[in-house]
């Protein structure tokens, strides 16, 4: 068959592409006629064709020229057509033809399709794609395709078709008008969508599992409730049968007793009547016999018989029936049976409620909130909550139980004692009766608020030591200290809280130069108490009071705890007993300085004609010795005699030789833990008097002594004067 001349030749290209091909061929022929004299261009074109032939591996295929090149078309036009081969089907060569597709794409990229413009190349590519896969019955057109899966992977994603494609397909293929996104973005989006679906699926699985568990619980509950109903019916019917049998026995027994009573009465009358009848017959026979006797015998017997007849006739004979034959109607009382029948219903008595453990912060000082639960299928009309204080181990104390009726599954019980344990139990009620009682649960009321010991508060510029009383008979779990800055009247919020304090004392770190309002709460399992009464604290200088527990009996401490007075009246020395905490020889007292390291400053107002001693000492200083007479105290002592003032700075009975010309009326004392120094100053003159170098391995406390009647007044809680420096 002549593939070139036959009118039935297979049309491989669409009409517009065929017309374009002819236009390109004519243009090449015109170029060839214009450049016939140029042999170099001809040779270049021939080399290009040879290179294409070599590229496609068609050197041995001689049919290519005869089948492909038209007799009116120059051979140089071969390169203008897309790479295709028309031949008879040869399966042995099909594999090789498909292998050439990658090389064809490479040749196009290198520009070997040297005919026409880029637009013409694209049109011809569209033409041979159009013919891809079409052939006649005997002949087939093989277009050498590009190996998409092996050579070039998809790099974009068509959102419309929901499939990955290559970028050039967006420009030339059916995806031209479709929305595309980068493949990586599509991948991330697909992953996110899958993760969302997996999350939804997992959530649905959990919901289904929970639903299945709930169904199982409902199944078990329904089964248990129907079992209870069966038992309820059986017990009620057995009770009814027992009641009927009991009534039957009672009625039968009563009828038998009445029958016996009547028959016995009738039988007695019958016997009495028979006896009387026999007597009458005997008398008649006797009288008849007497009538046949002689007159003398008749008279004798007649007299006796007359007496006998008189007595017999005088005797009253009972001729009335004592027991009537009529029978009384026996009314049967079945009211209790009817009541039992009415109590049979389909609603069983509720199950025993489950009382919940006490929830945190569910109590106040006088109330607790008690909660419980019940089976969901149980019908309940009301609950009865009972409670009583937990009994102690003391025998013979019977606690009275209190009862509250509610309709909810919770109840707030009021009017209770603070910080006290109560045991609660609850029963559920409906028409069928009460449920069994729940287990007993112990609840506890919140504590009473603590009571701050305002007179024992000690502070310095960096901390405060606060003490309080519990305010509760029973111990509590812990305490909480709440602090509020009192910078302005509007400041009411809690700025700091110290929690978990086990004892009734706490050392709290603060900011210097501030004013605070302090509250204390007590806590137990029931919750926190309400706030205590507030206490004001100022972190301006060191604030302390004199310790009455260390005070010598000859001294009196003022109400504010800042003044010590020695009176004229003395207790005889023989009446003073030695003590480890109270001074007994040295007439002295110690101050409750806060145990915080740093620096502390206070002032003592003195009388220049008074013998006194001021300084510091360890807490375990010997109370039977004078201050400064041992290594546990550092003091300044003043003695006044013959209008002369003597000042000593004593430690372990030694003093430096120092002369003070102007007696101080107010002595400033600076305790410096950081430098282990104790300094004394004349406040009025801003004069430094002396400084000790101390070994302060423990905390020391202010001490004050009066050798003769008079007083010392302590000024503390004040800022350190500017002239005070650390020596």
């Amino acid at each position: 068959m002549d593939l070139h001349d036959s009118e039935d030749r297979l049309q491989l290209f669409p009409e517009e592409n065929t017309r374009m091909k002819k236009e390109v061929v004519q243009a090449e022929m015109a170029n060839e006629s214009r450049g016939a004299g140029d042999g170099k261009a001809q040779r270049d074109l021939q080399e290009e064709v040879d290179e294409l032939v070599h590229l496609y591996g068609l050197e041995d295929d001689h049919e290519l020229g005869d089948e492909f090149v038209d007799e009116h078309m120059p051979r140089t036009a071969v390169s203008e057509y897309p790479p295709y081969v028309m031949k008879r089907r040869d399966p042995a060569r099909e594999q090789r033809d498909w292998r050439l597709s990658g090389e064809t794409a490479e040749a196009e990229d290198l520009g070997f399709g040297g005919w026409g413009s880029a637009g013409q190349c694209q049109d011809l590519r569209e033409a041979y794609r159009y013919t891809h896969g079409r052939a006649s019955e005997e002949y087939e057109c093989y277009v050498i395709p590009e190996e998409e899966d092996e050579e070039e992977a998809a790099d974009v994603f068509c959102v419309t078709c929901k499939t990955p494609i290559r970028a050039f397909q967006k420009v030339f293929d059916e995806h031209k008008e479709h929305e595309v996104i980068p493949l990586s973005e599509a991948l991330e989006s697909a992953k996110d969508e899958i993760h969302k679906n997996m999350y939804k699926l997992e959530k649905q699985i959990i919901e289904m599992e929970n639903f299945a568990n709930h169904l199982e619980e409902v199944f078990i509950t329904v089964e248990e409730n129907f079992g209870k109903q069966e038992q309820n019916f059986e017990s009620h019917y057995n009770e009814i049968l027992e009641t009927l049998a009991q009534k039957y026995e009672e009625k039968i027994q009563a009828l038998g007793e009445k029958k016996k009573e009547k028959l016995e009465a009738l039988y007695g009358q019958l016997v009495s009547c028979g006896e009387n009848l026999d007597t009458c017959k005997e008398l008649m026979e006797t009288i008849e016999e007497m009538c046949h006797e002689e007159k003398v015998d008749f008279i004798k017997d007649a007299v006796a018989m007359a007496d006998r007849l008189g007595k017999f006739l005088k005797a009253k004979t009972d001729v009335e029936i004592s027991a009537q034959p009529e029978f009384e109607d026996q009314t049967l009382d079945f009211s209790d049976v009817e009541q039992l029948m009415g109590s049979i219903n389909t609603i069983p008595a509720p199950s025993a409620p489950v009382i919940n453990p006490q929830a945190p912060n569910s109590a106040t000082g006088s109330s607790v909130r008690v909660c419980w639960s019940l089976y969901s299928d149980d019908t309940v009309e009301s609950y009865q909550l009972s409670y009583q204080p937990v009994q102690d181990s003391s025998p013979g104390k019977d606690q009275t139980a209190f009862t509250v009726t509610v309709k909810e599954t919770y109840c707030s019980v009021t009017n209770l004692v603070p910080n006290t344990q109560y045991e609660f139990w609850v029963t559920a009620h409906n028409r069928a009766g009460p449920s069994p009682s729940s287990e007993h649960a112990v609840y506890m009321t919140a504590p009473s608020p603590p009571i701050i010991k305002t007179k024992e508060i000690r502070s310095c510029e960096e901390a405060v030591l606060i003490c309080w009383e519990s305010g509760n008979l029973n111990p509590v779990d812990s305490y909480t200290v709440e602090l509020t800055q009192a910078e302005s009247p509007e400041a009411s919020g809690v700025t700091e809280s110290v929690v978990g304090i086990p004892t009734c004392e706490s050392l709290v770190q603060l900011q210097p130069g501030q004013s605070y309002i302090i509250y204390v709460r007590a806590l137990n399992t029931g919750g926190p108490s309400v706030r205590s009464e507030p206490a004001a604290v100022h972190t301006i200088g060191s604030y302390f009071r004199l310790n009455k527990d260390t005070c010598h009996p000859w001294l009196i401490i003022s109400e504010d705890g800042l003044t010590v007075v020695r009176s004229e009246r003395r207790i005889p020395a023989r009446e003073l007993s030695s003590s480890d905490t109270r001074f007994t020889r040295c007439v002295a007292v110690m101050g409750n300085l806060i145990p915080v390291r740093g620096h502390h400053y206070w002032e003592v107002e003195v009388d220049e004609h008074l013998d006194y001693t001021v300084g510091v000492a360890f807490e375990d200083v010997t109370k039977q010795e004078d201050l400064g007479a041992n290594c546990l105290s550092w003091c300044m002592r003043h003695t006044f005699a013959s209008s002369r003032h003597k000042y000593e700075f004593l430690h372990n009975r030694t003093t430096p030789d120092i002369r003070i010309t102007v007696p101080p009326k107010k002595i400033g004392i600076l305790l410096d833990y950081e430098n282990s120094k104790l300094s004394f100053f004349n406040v009025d003159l801003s004069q430094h008097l002396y400084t000790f170098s101390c070994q302060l391995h423990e905390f020391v406390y202010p001490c004050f002594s009066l050798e003769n009647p008079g007083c010392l007044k302590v000024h503390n809680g004040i800022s350190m004067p500017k002239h005070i420096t650390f020596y």
Side-chain angles (χ1 to χ4, degrees):
M1 181 179 180
D2 187 359
L3 297 179
H4 300 283
D5 298 332
S6 173
E7 295 180 357
D8 298 331
R9 178 179 177 179
L10 180 63
Q11 299 295 325
L12 298 179
F13 303 100
E15 181 179 355
E16 61 274 16
N17 291 334
T18 305
R19 184 172 59 252
M20 185 178 297
K21 177 193 69 175
K22 292 181 178 180
E23 292 174 359
V24 173
V25 171
Q26 292 175 1
E28 285 294 332
M29 291 175 64
N31 290 335
E32 183 180 2
S33 63
R34 286 192 300 267
D38 192 356
K40 185 177 182 300
Q42 192 77 10
R43 287 193 300 271
D44 294 339
L45 187 58
Q46 183 64 38
E47 290 176 359
E48 189 175 86
V49 173
D50 295 338
E51 193 169 359
L52 275 176
V53 173
H54 175 71
L55 176 64
Y56 295 143
L58 302 175
E59 295 89 342
D60 299 331
D61 195 348
H62 300 290
E63 297 178 357
L64 179 61
D66 297 332
E67 296 176 352
F68 186 73
V69 182
D70 198 318
E71 59 181 359
H72 301 293
M73 182 171 49
R75 259 186 101 75
T76 57
V78 175
S79 61
E80 297 175 0
Y81 289 88
Y84 72 94
V85 178
M86 289 199 62
K87 54 179 290 184
R88 294 182 183 274
R89 182 186 296 271
D90 187 1
R93 297 183 59 186
E94 286 183 358
Q95 185 174 1
R96 188 189 68 173
D97 294 338
W98 284 103
R99 283 201 306 269
L100 296 177
S101 61
E103 298 176 357
T104 304
E106 182 178 358
E108 291 178 353
D109 294 339
L110 294 174
F112 289 137
W115 54 272
S117 62
Q120 294 171 337
C121 294
Q122 178 60 32
D123 291 338
L124 291 179
R125 288 193 186 96
E126 293 292 332
Y128 78 75
R129 286 197 185 98
Y130 178 79
T131 61
H132 179 69
R134 296 177 59 188
S136 63
E137 296 179 356
E138 186 175 359
Y139 297 92
E140 185 171 1
C141 173
Y142 291 96
V143 178
I144 303 175
E146 298 175 355
E147 297 184 6
E148 297 180 359
D149 296 335
E150 296 181 3
E151 297 298 331
E152 293 188 28
D155 50 3
V156 294
F157 182 80
C158 179
V159 179
T160 306
C161 299
K162 298 186 182 303
T163 181
I165 61 174
R166 288 185 292 180
F168 78 90
Q169 290 180 284
K170 163 64 179 173
V171 181
F172 306 115
D173 213 337
E174 66 270 10
H175 306 282
K176 187 174 182 180
E177 302 297 331
H178 295 175
E179 179 186 359
V180 296
I181 58 175
L183 193 62
S184 58
E185 182 179 344
L187 180 62
E188 293 298 327
S189 177
K191 288 182 179 179
D192 293 341
E193 187 68 23
I194 290 174
H195 290 162
K196 290 179 182 178
N197 293 333
M198 289 179 64
Y199 173 76
K200 293 179 181 178
L201 186 60
E202 291 176 356
K203 187 177 180 181
Q204 187 173 2
I205 290 173
I206 294 174
E207 291 178 354
M208 294 301 295
E209 290 178 349
N210 294 336
F211 181 69
N213 294 334
H214 179 67
L215 284 178
E216 185 177 358
E217 293 176 358
V218 171
F219 180 85
I220 295 173
T221 303
V222 170
E223 186 178 13
E224 292 177 354
N225 286 339
F226 274 99
K228 292 176 184 177
Q229 290 182 15
E230 292 175 358
Q231 295 177 0
N232 185 36
F233 282 138
E234 184 177 358
S235 63
H236 274 77
Y237 282 120
N238 290 336
E239 187 176 358
I240 291 173
L241 292 177
E242 290 176 0
T243 302
L244 289 173
Q246 183 179 358
K247 285 187 172 296
Y248 174 78
E249 293 293 337
E250 291 175 355
K251 291 298 181 182
I252 291 298
Q253 184 177 359
L255 288 173
E257 291 177 355
K258 279 194 173 184
K259 173 184 175 182
K260 180 180 178 182
E261 180 183 355
K262 285 192 174 186
L263 291 179
E264 287 179 352
L266 291 173
Y267 181 75
Q269 280 189 324
L270 183 61
V271 171
S272 177
C273 183
E275 291 177 352
N276 290 334
L277 184 61
D278 292 340
T279 303
C280 289
K281 289 180 178 181
E282 182 184 356
L283 289 174
M284 288 294 294
E285 292 176 356
T286 303
I287 290 173
E288 289 178 356
E289 290 176 357
M290 288 174 56
C291 291
H292 295 88
E293 292 179 355
E294 294 293 332
K295 295 181 178 180
V296 177
D297 294 333
F298 176 79
I299 292 173
K300 291 180 179 179
D301 294 336
V303 173
M305 180 60 65
D307 294 337
R308 183 177 177 185
L309 286 172
K311 291 180 179 180
F312 178 77
L313 293 175
K314 288 180 179 180
K316 188 177 180 179
T317 304
D318 188 8
V319 293
E320 292 183 1
I321 299 176
S322 60
Q324 297 298 326
E326 292 84 4
F327 292 98
E328 300 177 0
D329 293 334
Q330 299 295 324
T331 303
L332 300 178
D333 184 12
F334 289 102
S335 60
D336 49 355
V337 177
E338 293 176 356
Q339 184 177 0
L340 288 174
M341 292 293 293
S343 65
I344 300 177
N345 50 66
T346 58
I347 302 177
S351 304
V354 179
I355 194 164
N356 300 339
Q358 185 173 10
N361 303 325
S362 62
T364 65
S366 60
S367 66
V368 294
R369 181 182 173 88
V370 185
C371 301
W372 58 89
S373 57
L374 193 70
Y375 285 110
S376 59
D377 284 353
D378 288 345
T379 301
V380 177
E381 296 177 357
S382 64
Y383 297 95
Q384 193 172 71
L385 177 66
S386 304
Y387 64 95
Q388 65 182 12
V390 174
Q391 298 182 0
D392 53 17
S393 58
S394 302
K397 289 187 178 181
D398 295 331
Q399 300 288 349
T400 302
F402 302 92
T403 302
V404 180
T405 301
V406 295
K407 292 185 177 297
E408 298 81 9
T409 56
Y410 61 88
C411 179
S412 294
V413 183
T414 57
N415 299 324
L416 303 179
V417 180
N419 200 38
T420 303
Q421 289 184 331
Y422 290 84
E423 57 180 349
F424 291 84
W425 62 97
V426 64
T427 55
H429 294 258
N430 61 14
R431 288 178 297 172
S435 71
S437 173
S438 68
E439 296 291 334
H440 287 219
V442 176
Y443 280 56
M444 193 170 190
T445 53
S448 299
I451 303 171
I452 298 178
K453 300 178 181 179
T454 56
K455 293 184 178 181
E456 297 185 15
I457 293 177
R458 294 174 274 172
S459 64
C460 63
E461 292 185 352
E462 301 175 352
V464 62
L465 181 62
I466 182 171
C467 304
W468 59 85
E469 294 178 357
S470 173
N472 297 274
L473 297 177
N474 299 324
V476 299
D477 295 342
S478 65
Y479 298 92
T480 298
V481 174
E482 298 178 353
L483 298 97
T484 302
Q485 284 192 356
E487 297 177 354
S488 62
E490 293 79 12
S492 59
V494 176
T495 58
E496 183 180 355
S497 295
V498 182
V499 300
I501 304 172
T503 61
C504 294
E505 182 179 278
S506 178
L507 181 65
V508 183
Q509 300 295 323
L510 301 176
Q511 297 295 326
Q514 301 292 331
S515 296
Y516 294 88
I517 302 297
I518 295 181
Y519 306 89
V520 180
R521 296 181 188 265
L523 288 89
N524 61 13
T525 55
S529 70
V530 297
R531 283 178 168 182
S532 66
E533 291 296 324
V537 173
H538 307 281
T539 56
I540 303 173
S542 298
Y543 178 81
F544 62 89
R545 293 172 181 259
L546 299 177
N547 188 354
K548 294 182 179 181
D549 295 334
T550 64
C551 184
H552 190 279
W554 294 356
L555 298 179
I556 299 174
I557 298 176
S558 63
E559 185 66 24
D560 61 2
L562 298 176
T563 302
V564 57
V565 179
R566 179 172 177 174
S567 62
E568 295 289 345
R569 185 176 59 85
R570 295 186 179 182
I571 300 174
R574 63 178 179 273
E575 296 183 11
L576 300 177
S577 58
S578 61
S579 173
D580 294 334
T581 59
R582 182 185 296 273
F583 288 97
T584 54
R585 178 177 177 181
C586 177
V587 185
V589 64
M590 300 183 75
N592 273 329
L593 184 65
I594 185 172
V596 174
R597 294 191 176 271
H599 59 270
H600 303 273
Y601 177 80
W602 64 95
E603 297 175 353
V604 184
E605 186 178 338
V606 299
D607 186 353
E608 60 183 12
H609 300 100
L610 182 66
D611 293 347
Y612 60 85
T613 303
V614 294
V616 298
F618 287 111
E619 185 177 14
D620 57 349
V621 66
T622 304
K623 305 300 190 295
Q624 287 76 37
E625 291 184 353
D626 293 333
L627 296 174
N630 50 54
C631 61
L632 300 178
S633 58
W634 296 262
C635 302
M636 172 185 173
R637 184 167 67 181
H638 169 259
T639 55
F640 179 74
S642 302
S643 302
R644 295 181 60 184
H645 298 274
K646 181 181 179 181
Y647 293 92
E648 298 174 287
F649 295 92
L650 295 169
H651 174 65
N652 204 14
R653 297 184 182 275
T654 61
T655 179
D657 186 10
I658 296 178
R659 302 294 177 89
I660 299 177
T661 57
V662 179
K665 295 182 180 180
K666 184 179 287 186
I667 301 172
I669 303 174
L670 175 62
L671 174 61
D672 184 6
Y673 277 103
E674 295 178 357
N675 299 309
S676 298
K677 299 291 182 67
L678 178 67
S679 301
F680 296 87
F681 302 89
N682 185 336
V683 177
D684 296 332
L685 300 180
S686 302
Q687 179 186 15
H688 172 249
L689 301 178
Y690 184 73
T691 297
F692 284 103
S693 294
C694 314
Q695 298 296 326
L696 303 177
H697 54 277
E698 295 179 359
F699 290 108
V700 293
Y701 298 90
C703 52
F704 311 88
S705 175
L706 289 169
E707 301 300 330
N708 48 27
C711 71
L712 296 175
K713 187 173 182 180
V714 180
H715 297 268
N716 57 26
I718 57 178
S719 299
M720 191 186 314
K722 296 180 180 180
H723 67 271
I724 300 296
T725 57
F726 297 95
Y727 289 86

